[in-house]
Amino acid sequence: AKPAKTKAAAFAKTPSRPIEANDLTELKGLGPKAAEALNAGGVTSFEQIAAWTKSDIAKWDEALTARGRIERDDWVGQAKAKIA
């Protein structure tokens, strides 16, 4: 059966193909609790994090109570490096 479309599709820049789930804790500064919260919010791949805008970063920083960690640890840059 095909998986149902989730909020994850909204973050994907290329929704025409399935998004492969990654172990988000591979990103420095992103622990298991943050990964669990991101997954629950539909973020499951490095590709999605790599595509985050400033507003996505602000939204997730607040949602995760990350206190600037997303930018400080450059999750977006790390994610881009993982998919390059």
Side-chain angles (χ1 to χ4, degrees), residues 54-67:
K54 287 273 186 203
S55 71
D56 294 325
I57 291 168
K59 179 185 102 172
W60 283 110
D61 191 68
E62 186 176 327
L64 300 172
T65 320
R67 298 182 305 278

Side-chain angles (χ1 to χ4, degrees), residues 14-30:
T14 52
S16 59
R17 63 184 174 81
I19 297 169
E20 183 181 325
N22 300 118
D23 177 1
L24 301 181
T25 63
E26 289 181 26
L27 300 182
K28 176 183 171 282
L30 201 163

Side-chain angles (χ1 to χ4, degrees), residues 24-25 29-41 60 63-64 69 75:
L24 301 181
T25 63
L30 201 163
K33 284 187 178 178
E36 194 176 302
L38 286 167
N39 290 170
W60 283 110
L64 300 172
R69 176 175 286 141
W75 292 2

Side-chain angles (χ1 to χ4, degrees), residues 22 24 26-28 30 43 45-52 73-84:
N22 300 118
L24 301 181
E26 289 181 26
L27 300 182
K28 176 183 171 282
L30 201 163
V43 178
S45 74
F46 298 137
E47 189 173 334
Q48 289 169 287
I49 293 172
W52 279 0
D73 289 336
D74 191 20
W75 292 2
V76 173
Q78 290 184 69
K80 285 179 181 177
K82 293 265 187 200
I83 62 172

